Each structure stands twice: as structure tokens, then as C-alpha cells.
Amino acid sequence: MVYYIDMASSDASPPRDSCAFLLAQVGAHAAQRFAERLEPLGLTPPLAGVLRLVAQNPAMNQSNLADRLGTSPSWIVALVDDLEERGLLSRTRSSEDRRVQELRLTSGGREVLAEVAEIARAHDRELTAALTRDQERQLHQLLSEVALAGGLSPGVHPGYRNLGRPEG
Amino acid sequence: MVYYIDMASSDASPPRDSCAFLLAQVGAHAAQRFAERLEPLGLTPPLAGVLRLVAQNPAMNQSNLADRLGTSPSWIVALVDDLEERGLLSRTRSSEDRRVQELRLTSGGREVLAEVAEIARAHDRELTAALTRDQERQLHQLLSEVALAGGLSPGVHPGYRNLGRPEG
DNA sequence: TATTGTTATACTCTATAACTATA
DNA sequence: TATAGTTATAGAGTATAACAATA
């Protein structure tokens, strides 16, 4: 977690935080609260992300997953190990290419993913609780424009290296 | 860095990312770009944050700093060591309480901080380049409301533990 | 020779615990 | 006894490198 202080204002007392600072501050808060909400399920955001991606792309393999998340294949091994040990997903050797592990959610995995989705919706409601429906739509629109201009892929949180990568 | 996938939409193809997800995504991007921009100066966001806080509060001590940033005193030691070795700030034992180290920027520290401030302004311009001035003001207003409702202290990036802490 | 997955290892960031000096 | 700072140590979260199996 990167801590920082709003740096954009002059040396005199800061008149207001910059947009960039507010984005980093509120975004870190959002990510942290989401992680806290996942804790009772024994999940971390990366584990939940893997569940979600595998649900959306059945028979996806670990290479695809590493590319999509912008992380190292070795870490994917650890994440998939964890989820497999809990019985939330299964590995199956592909019959076409025996190097490949096909990943699929188990029924238990689908149940847990449904809980995660509910948590995410509650999280979103909490975060925007202070806004009117109209303000929420405005915020969504503005953030979407900033994300687009920044080259961020819809739906995927940026790691340090996956910026500008085309959608898998 | 926490990676995750938008979890709020149903199992069917996601109609759009949630506000919470967009905030985390764009916020992580903003923090990452800021860190990249600081690299040529040999600084990290936490180091820059210490410079800024010491500039705003001359003769501040390390305890104050740890409280304000919501981090452990032992980490503050390492950050201050680093900045002191580069000649950007100085430690002076307080004459009133010999346990206390009073921190002050050197003239070199003030010069570097001025560069950091310029970088931060350029960073903010880049991030909001896709928005009109009016949209930028809207975004600022909306983010401020979300930050306020979330109990975030103006000007201080949240660590894992300093939420809801009153401003030092 | 290239690719998928795996293991072994290492590095960064940050905290906790134990300690020293001072109050 | 309590507090400011320091040192030593440890843990989480990742990456890189070397390797095995398969293509």
C-alpha cells in the first residue's frame, strides 16, 4: 500500500486536494474496504478475481489467467492451489494439449462467487451512499472517461505491468 | 498492490463496472503513475510524503509523523534515515526533551520538494486531461463527498489503520 | 526450440517485539 | 512507569530464475 500526501498544492497551506490525490485516496480506501468485506469468506481480492475470471471463462488455463491479471505465472500457481484445496475450483489436464490445466469452478465455487458478488454490491452501495442517484451516475461517467483516457481495461484492476494491454 | 476484477455484476456478462470498482481501478492507476513520475528523483511516494509533512510542520518529530501517516515508528526511522543520508532533512535533538528528534528540511530538501510539487501538478493535469474544466470540478466535488462520508482525512492517503483518525 | 506449469528463491514493503535513553 | 526513537526480526505479497513435461 502506497501512502502519500497531497503534493500538488504550493508550500503555503493547501487550498484543496488535487483530483489525482483524491482519486488515489478514495480508490485505496475502496480497495481496502472491499478486502475487509471479503475476509469473513477467507478470501482476498486476488482470489476472488480468479474465481470471477474462471466463472466467466470456463476451461480457461493458468497462462490466460496470468496474462489477464498481469501477474506472474508462479503466483497464479499459488492462487489456484489455494482455491483448489478449498474445493472451489478444479484443474483438469487438457486432452488436446497435456501441458495445459483447464480450470473450472465447482458448485461450491459458484456458491462462494455468488456471495462475493453480493458483498461487492453492498460495498458499492456503501461507497456511494452519500451521493444521489444522479450524482452516482455522474461519478460513474467521469471515472469511465478518466479510465478510458488512461488506457485501463474495463473490468481489470491495474497491476504494475498490465497497462494498455488489450482485453483477453 | 491489490489486483481485482469487478465483482458487482451478475454472472452474466457485466453490463458495466461498479463505481466502487472504477474508483479502485483509477485510484491505483493514479498512485502508480505518480510513483513512476517520482522515480527520476530517486523518491517514493512515502518519502515525498515525509518531505511534505515536515515542510508543513517544521520541528515535527518522528512520533507525530508516524501518527499522521498511520504507520509504525520503526518504518519512519528508515524513511528519515534515507532522507537524512541524502541531505534532504536534518534531525536535531530537542533541547527541551532529549528523547525527541526535531525534523527540518534542508535547503536541498526544499528544492527537491519544489520539484515534487511540480511533478504532482503535471500528474494531476495528465490524469484529468480528458475532462473539461467543468467536469474536473464536478469530479473533485463528488470525490470530496465520498471521501468525507468515508471518514478520510483531507490530504492524507489511507493506510490500513489510520481511518477516521482526527487530523494532527 | 518454445510453451505450460511448477518449484525454489529472493526482494519489497511494512509491522511487531525487544531494547536504550530519557522523562 | 511511560514515551521517543532504534534495531532486529518477521510476515505478506509479489517477482525472477531454473526446471520438467509436453509440444
Side-chain angles (χ1 to χ4, degrees):
Chain A
M1 170 78 54
V2 175
Y3 303 65
Y4 69 91
I5 303 288
D6 186 40
M7 305 297 310
S9 35
S10 70
D11 268 312
S13 64
R16 62 166 219 182
D17 293 333
S18 67
C19 264
F21 175 76
L22 280 168
L23 279 168
Q25 184 192 37
V26 174
H29 175 59
Q32 174 188 333
R33 281 289 298 135
F34 182 59
E36 285 166 7
R37 280 178 176 275
L38 285 179
E39 251 176 56
L41 295 184
L43 291 176
T44 60
L47 287 170
V50 169
L51 281 184
R52 176 62 195 255
L53 274 181
V54 171
Q56 287 180 324
N57 306 83
M60 188 179 212
N61 67 40
Q62 299 182 195
S63 254
N64 304 152
L65 213 42
D67 282 352
R68 185 67 188 274
L69 288 171
T71 66
S72 65
S74 61
W75 191 33
I76 298 292
V77 172
L79 293 172
V80 171
D81 279 354
D82 190 340
L83 294 170
E84 191 183 29
E85 275 162 29
R86 301 184 204 208
L88 301 183
L89 60 70
S90 67
R91 282 175 164 115
T92 321
R93 285 273 165 207
S94 163
S95 51
E96 292 173 1
D97 183 340
R98 306 268 310 287
R99 292 172 304 183
V100 169
Q101 300 269 33
E102 295 175 351
L103 305 176
R104 284 180 193 80
L105 291 201
T106 62
S107 59
R110 281 186 289 275
E111 282 172 32
V112 168
L113 183 59
E115 292 181 64
V116 171
E118 185 47 53
I119 284 173
R121 281 187 290 270
H123 169 58
D124 193 52
R125 282 194 299 274
E126 173 188 292
L127 213 71
T128 56
L131 307 180
T132 65
R133 284 293 291 159
D134 223 51
Q135 285 179 315
E136 193 204 324
R137 270 188 289 269
Q138 271 181 29
L139 178 59
H140 191 276
Q141 176 60 29
L142 293 167
L143 291 172
S144 296
E145 284 179 33
V146 171
L148 183 68
L152 298 171
S153 301
V156 180
H157 195 279
Y160 285 119
R161 294 164 193 280
N162 67 344
L163 297 173
R165 181 169 302 200
E167 271 225 84
Chain B
M1 168 79 52
V2 176
Y3 304 66
Y4 69 94
I5 303 289
D6 188 37
M7 304 297 310
S9 36
S10 70
D11 268 313
S13 65
R16 63 164 217 185
D17 294 332
S18 66
C19 264
F21 176 76
L22 280 168
L23 279 168
Q25 185 193 36
V26 174
H29 175 60
Q32 175 189 333
R33 282 289 297 135
F34 182 59
E36 285 167 7
R37 280 178 176 274
L38 285 179
E39 250 176 56
L41 294 184
L43 292 177
T44 60
L47 287 171
V50 169
L51 280 185
R52 176 64 195 257
L53 273 182
V54 172
Q56 287 180 323
N57 305 84
M60 187 179 214
N61 67 42
Q62 298 182 197
S63 255
N64 304 153
L65 214 42
D67 282 352
R68 185 65 187 274
L69 289 171
T71 66
S72 66
S74 62
W75 191 32
I76 298 292
V77 171
L79 294 172
V80 170
D81 279 353
D82 190 340
L83 293 170
E84 191 182 30
E85 276 161 28
R86 302 184 202 207
L88 302 183
L89 60 70
S90 67
R91 282 176 165 115
T92 321
R93 285 276 165 205
S94 163
S95 50
E96 290 173 2
D97 182 341
R98 305 269 310 286
R99 293 171 305 183
V100 169
Q101 299 271 32
E102 295 175 351
L103 305 175
R104 284 181 192 81
L105 291 200
T106 64
S107 59
R110 280 185 289 276
E111 281 171 32
V112 168
L113 182 60
E115 292 181 64
V116 171
E118 186 46 55
I119 285 174
R121 281 188 290 270
H123 169 57
D124 192 53
R125 283 194 298 272
E126 172 188 293
L127 212 71
T128 56
L131 306 181
T132 65
R133 284 293 291 158
D134 223 50
Q135 285 179 315
E136 194 204 323
R137 270 188 289 270
Q138 269 181 30
L139 178 59
H140 191 276
Q141 176 61 28
L142 293 167
L143 291 171
S144 297
E145 283 179 33
V146 171
L148 183 67
L152 298 172
S153 301
V156 180
H157 195 281
Y160 284 120
R161 294 164 194 279
N162 68 343
L163 298 173
R165 181 170 303 202
E167 272 223 84

